[in-house]
Amino acid sequence: MSLNREKYVVFVTLLEQLRSDATTTQMVPPLLRERVASLQQFFGQQIVPLADENWRVQSYQTEMSKQLRLLEIDVMFFQGARQASTVQRRLQTISDRLTTLIQYCDAILQPEAEGEK
């Protein structure tokens, strides 16, 4: 398994863990904000530097960067939610955003997986 592939696999694992925690536990805003900041830091330090000539991978990385910024905004809205129904809606939005990020990573990993068969 290539080092690049391993980094994407770790990133997907982090995304899946956060999505699971956000939907199954009572997530407090400061912890959620901290976890999202850690995701952004990992992405910036481990994923962005991966030089890839493939325009498709670069496109996915650009979209992932955008989704991470939007996730940060979603967390700010979650912090401001006061009613239980709004809190649930915000958590669902965060979960959906994390699912999108996971799908982007899966799309990047897919061609390599097919090539290894």
Short mmCIF file of all heavy atoms in Angstrom, two decimals, residues 43-74:
data_model
loop_
_atom_site.label_atom_id
_atom_site.label_comp_id
_atom_site.label_asym_id
_atom_site.label_seq_id
_atom_site.Cartn_x
_atom_site.Cartn_y
_atom_site.Cartn_z
N PHE A 43 -5.61 17.26 7.23
CA PHE A 43 -5.77 17.46 5.79
C PHE A 43 -4.68 18.38 5.25
O PHE A 43 -4.04 18.08 4.24
CB PHE A 43 -7.16 18.03 5.49
CG PHE A 43 -7.43 18.21 4.02
CD1 PHE A 43 -7.79 17.14 3.23
CD2 PHE A 43 -7.34 19.47 3.43
CE1 PHE A 43 -8.03 17.29 1.87
CE2 PHE A 43 -7.57 19.64 2.07
CZ PHE A 43 -7.93 18.55 1.29
N GLY A 44 -4.46 19.49 5.93
CA GLY A 44 -3.47 20.46 5.49
C GLY A 44 -2.05 19.93 5.53
O GLY A 44 -1.24 20.23 4.65
N GLN A 45 -1.73 19.13 6.54
CA GLN A 45 -0.36 18.65 6.70
C GLN A 45 -0.08 17.34 5.98
O GLN A 45 1.05 17.11 5.54
CB GLN A 45 -0.04 18.48 8.19
CG GLN A 45 0.01 19.78 8.94
CD GLN A 45 0.24 19.57 10.44
OE1 GLN A 45 0.13 18.47 10.96
NE2 GLN A 45 0.53 20.65 11.14
N GLN A 46 -1.08 16.47 5.86
CA GLN A 46 -0.84 15.14 5.32
C GLN A 46 -1.40 14.92 3.91
O GLN A 46 -0.82 14.17 3.14
CB GLN A 46 -1.44 14.07 6.26
CG GLN A 46 -0.92 14.12 7.67
CD GLN A 46 0.55 13.75 7.75
OE1 GLN A 46 1.01 12.86 7.04
NE2 GLN A 46 1.29 14.44 8.60
N ILE A 47 -2.52 15.54 3.60
CA ILE A 47 -3.18 15.29 2.31
C ILE A 47 -2.78 16.32 1.25
O ILE A 47 -2.42 15.96 0.14
CB ILE A 47 -4.72 15.25 2.47
CG1 ILE A 47 -5.15 14.22 3.51
CG2 ILE A 47 -5.40 15.03 1.13
CD1 ILE A 47 -4.88 12.79 3.16
N VAL A 48 -2.85 17.59 1.60
CA VAL A 48 -2.55 18.65 0.63
C VAL A 48 -1.15 18.51 0.02
O VAL A 48 -1.00 18.65 -1.20
CB VAL A 48 -2.76 20.05 1.26
CG1 VAL A 48 -2.24 21.15 0.34
CG2 VAL A 48 -4.23 20.27 1.57
N PRO A 49 -0.13 18.20 0.82
CA PRO A 49 1.22 18.09 0.23
C PRO A 49 1.41 16.92 -0.73
O PRO A 49 2.42 16.87 -1.44
CB PRO A 49 2.14 17.92 1.45
CG PRO A 49 1.36 18.39 2.60
CD PRO A 49 -0.07 18.11 2.28
N LEU A 50 0.47 15.98 -0.76
CA LEU A 50 0.63 14.84 -1.65
C LEU A 50 0.59 15.32 -3.10
O LEU A 50 -0.45 15.69 -3.61
CB LEU A 50 -0.48 13.80 -1.42
CG LEU A 50 -0.57 13.19 -0.03
CD1 LEU A 50 -1.76 12.24 0.06
CD2 LEU A 50 0.71 12.49 0.35
N ALA A 51 1.74 15.34 -3.71
CA ALA A 51 1.81 15.81 -5.09
C ALA A 51 1.21 14.75 -6.00
O ALA A 51 1.63 13.60 -5.98
CB ALA A 51 3.26 16.08 -5.47
N ASP A 52 0.22 15.15 -6.76
CA ASP A 52 -0.43 14.21 -7.67
C ASP A 52 -0.66 14.91 -9.00
O ASP A 52 -1.28 15.96 -9.05
CB ASP A 52 -1.75 13.72 -7.08
CG ASP A 52 -2.22 12.44 -7.74
OD1 ASP A 52 -2.24 12.40 -9.00
OD2 ASP A 52 -2.58 11.50 -7.04
N GLU A 53 -0.15 14.32 -10.03
CA GLU A 53 -0.29 14.88 -11.37
C GLU A 53 -1.71 14.69 -11.91
O GLU A 53 -2.11 15.34 -12.86
CB GLU A 53 0.70 14.21 -12.33
CG GLU A 53 2.15 14.31 -11.88
CD GLU A 53 2.70 15.70 -12.05
OE1 GLU A 53 2.42 16.32 -13.09
OE2 GLU A 53 3.40 16.16 -11.14
N ASN A 54 -2.44 13.78 -11.31
CA ASN A 54 -3.77 13.42 -11.77
C ASN A 54 -4.74 14.59 -11.50
O ASN A 54 -4.97 14.95 -10.34
CB ASN A 54 -4.23 12.15 -11.05
CG ASN A 54 -5.53 11.61 -11.56
OD1 ASN A 54 -6.36 12.35 -12.10
ND2 ASN A 54 -5.73 10.33 -11.40
N TRP A 55 -5.30 15.14 -12.54
CA TRP A 55 -6.22 16.29 -12.39
C TRP A 55 -7.46 15.88 -11.60
O TRP A 55 -8.02 16.69 -10.87
CB TRP A 55 -6.63 16.85 -13.75
CG TRP A 55 -7.39 15.86 -14.60
CD1 TRP A 55 -6.87 14.97 -15.49
CD2 TRP A 55 -8.80 15.63 -14.58
NE1 TRP A 55 -7.86 14.21 -16.04
CE2 TRP A 55 -9.06 14.58 -15.50
CE3 TRP A 55 -9.86 16.19 -13.88
CZ2 TRP A 55 -10.35 14.10 -15.72
CZ3 TRP A 55 -11.14 15.70 -14.11
CH2 TRP A 55 -11.38 14.67 -15.03
N ARG A 56 -7.87 14.63 -11.71
CA ARG A 56 -9.06 14.16 -11.00
C ARG A 56 -8.82 14.21 -9.48
O ARG A 56 -9.67 14.68 -8.72
CB ARG A 56 -9.40 12.73 -11.44
CG ARG A 56 -10.74 12.24 -10.98
CD ARG A 56 -11.00 10.82 -11.48
NE ARG A 56 -10.14 9.84 -10.87
CZ ARG A 56 -10.26 9.39 -9.62
NH1 ARG A 56 -11.20 9.86 -8.85
NH2 ARG A 56 -9.44 8.49 -9.15
N VAL A 57 -7.66 13.75 -9.05
CA VAL A 57 -7.33 13.76 -7.63
C VAL A 57 -7.23 15.21 -7.14
O VAL A 57 -7.73 15.54 -6.05
CB VAL A 57 -6.03 12.98 -7.35
CG1 VAL A 57 -5.58 13.16 -5.91
CG2 VAL A 57 -6.23 11.50 -7.68
N GLN A 58 -6.61 16.06 -7.93
CA GLN A 58 -6.51 17.48 -7.55
C GLN A 58 -7.89 18.10 -7.41
O GLN A 58 -8.14 18.90 -6.50
CB GLN A 58 -5.67 18.24 -8.57
CG GLN A 58 -4.21 17.89 -8.51
CD GLN A 58 -3.39 18.61 -9.57
OE1 GLN A 58 -3.93 19.19 -10.51
NE2 GLN A 58 -2.07 18.58 -9.42
N SER A 59 -8.81 17.74 -8.29
CA SER A 59 -10.18 18.26 -8.21
C SER A 59 -10.86 17.82 -6.92
O SER A 59 -11.53 18.61 -6.24
CB SER A 59 -11.01 17.79 -9.41
OG SER A 59 -10.52 18.33 -10.59
N TYR A 60 -10.68 16.55 -6.58
CA TYR A 60 -11.26 16.05 -5.34
C TYR A 60 -10.65 16.74 -4.12
O TYR A 60 -11.35 17.08 -3.17
CB TYR A 60 -11.09 14.53 -5.21
CG TYR A 60 -12.13 13.74 -5.98
CD1 TYR A 60 -11.77 12.87 -6.99
CD2 TYR A 60 -13.49 13.87 -5.67
CE1 TYR A 60 -12.73 12.14 -7.69
CE2 TYR A 60 -14.45 13.15 -6.37
CZ TYR A 60 -14.07 12.29 -7.37
OH TYR A 60 -15.02 11.57 -8.06
N GLN A 61 -9.35 16.96 -4.16
CA GLN A 61 -8.70 17.65 -3.05
C GLN A 61 -9.24 19.07 -2.88
O GLN A 61 -9.47 19.53 -1.76
CB GLN A 61 -7.18 17.69 -3.24
CG GLN A 61 -6.50 16.40 -2.90
CD GLN A 61 -4.99 16.51 -2.98
OE1 GLN A 61 -4.44 17.45 -3.55
NE2 GLN A 61 -4.31 15.54 -2.41
N THR A 62 -9.47 19.75 -4.00
CA THR A 62 -10.04 21.10 -3.95
C THR A 62 -11.43 21.06 -3.33
O THR A 62 -11.76 21.88 -2.47
CB THR A 62 -10.09 21.71 -5.37
OG1 THR A 62 -8.76 21.77 -5.88
CG2 THR A 62 -10.72 23.08 -5.35
N GLU A 63 -12.24 20.10 -3.76
CA GLU A 63 -13.59 19.97 -3.20
C GLU A 63 -13.55 19.60 -1.72
O GLU A 63 -14.36 20.08 -0.93
CB GLU A 63 -14.39 18.92 -3.98
CG GLU A 63 -14.85 19.40 -5.34
CD GLU A 63 -15.72 20.65 -5.26
OE1 GLU A 63 -16.67 20.68 -4.45
OE2 GLU A 63 -15.46 21.59 -6.01
N MET A 64 -12.61 18.75 -1.35
CA MET A 64 -12.49 18.36 0.06
C MET A 64 -12.11 19.57 0.91
O MET A 64 -12.65 19.75 2.02
CB MET A 64 -11.46 17.24 0.21
CG MET A 64 -11.96 15.92 -0.36
SD MET A 64 -10.66 14.69 -0.58
CE MET A 64 -10.14 14.40 1.08
N SER A 65 -11.23 20.39 0.40
CA SER A 65 -10.83 21.60 1.12
C SER A 65 -12.05 22.51 1.34
O SER A 65 -12.27 23.04 2.43
CB SER A 65 -9.74 22.32 0.34
OG SER A 65 -9.38 23.51 0.99
N LYS A 66 -12.85 22.65 0.30
CA LYS A 66 -14.06 23.48 0.39
C LYS A 66 -15.03 22.89 1.41
O LYS A 66 -15.59 23.61 2.25
CB LYS A 66 -14.71 23.59 -0.98
CG LYS A 66 -15.97 24.45 -0.99
CD LYS A 66 -16.53 24.58 -2.39
CE LYS A 66 -17.32 23.35 -2.74
NZ LYS A 66 -18.03 23.45 -4.02
N GLN A 67 -15.24 21.58 1.36
CA GLN A 67 -16.17 20.92 2.28
C GLN A 67 -15.70 21.05 3.74
O GLN A 67 -16.52 21.20 4.64
CB GLN A 67 -16.34 19.44 1.92
CG GLN A 67 -17.08 19.20 0.62
CD GLN A 67 -18.52 19.68 0.66
OE1 GLN A 67 -19.21 19.53 1.66
NE2 GLN A 67 -18.97 20.27 -0.42
N LEU A 68 -14.40 21.01 3.96
CA LEU A 68 -13.87 21.18 5.32
C LEU A 68 -14.15 22.60 5.84
O LEU A 68 -14.47 22.79 7.01
CB LEU A 68 -12.38 20.87 5.36
CG LEU A 68 -12.03 19.39 5.38
CD1 LEU A 68 -10.54 19.19 5.13
CD2 LEU A 68 -12.44 18.75 6.70
N ARG A 69 -14.01 23.59 4.97
CA ARG A 69 -14.32 24.97 5.38
C ARG A 69 -15.82 25.10 5.69
O ARG A 69 -16.21 25.75 6.66
CB ARG A 69 -13.89 25.97 4.30
CG ARG A 69 -12.37 26.13 4.21
CD ARG A 69 -11.95 27.31 3.37
NE ARG A 69 -12.55 27.36 2.04
CZ ARG A 69 -12.05 26.78 0.96
NH1 ARG A 69 -10.93 26.09 1.04
NH2 ARG A 69 -12.65 26.89 -0.21
N LEU A 70 -16.66 24.47 4.85
CA LEU A 70 -18.10 24.51 5.11
C LEU A 70 -18.46 23.76 6.39
O LEU A 70 -19.36 24.17 7.12
CB LEU A 70 -18.87 23.92 3.91
CG LEU A 70 -18.82 24.76 2.64
CD1 LEU A 70 -19.40 23.99 1.47
CD2 LEU A 70 -19.56 26.08 2.84
N LEU A 71 -17.73 22.69 6.67
CA LEU A 71 -17.94 21.94 7.91
C LEU A 71 -17.67 22.83 9.12
O LEU A 71 -18.40 22.81 10.10
CB LEU A 71 -17.04 20.70 7.93
CG LEU A 71 -17.12 19.80 9.15
CD1 LEU A 71 -18.52 19.22 9.31
CD2 LEU A 71 -16.09 18.68 9.05
N GLU A 72 -16.63 23.64 9.02
CA GLU A 72 -16.31 24.57 10.10
C GLU A 72 -17.47 25.55 10.33
O GLU A 72 -17.84 25.84 11.47
CB GLU A 72 -15.03 25.33 9.75
CG GLU A 72 -14.52 26.23 10.83
CD GLU A 72 -13.21 26.90 10.46
OE1 GLU A 72 -12.84 26.92 9.27
OE2 GLU A 72 -12.58 27.43 11.38
N ILE A 73 -18.07 26.02 9.26
CA ILE A 73 -19.23 26.92 9.37
C ILE A 73 -20.42 26.18 9.97
O ILE A 73 -21.14 26.71 10.83
CB ILE A 73 -19.57 27.53 8.00
CG1 ILE A 73 -18.43 28.46 7.56
CG2 ILE A 73 -20.90 28.27 8.04
CD1 ILE A 73 -18.50 28.89 6.12
N ASP A 74 -20.63 24.93 9.53
CA ASP A 74 -21.72 24.12 10.10
C ASP A 74 -21.56 23.98 11.61
O ASP A 74 -22.55 24.03 12.35
CB ASP A 74 -21.74 22.72 9.47
CG ASP A 74 -22.12 22.74 8.00
OD1 ASP A 74 -22.79 23.70 7.56
OD2 ASP A 74 -21.74 21.78 7.29
#
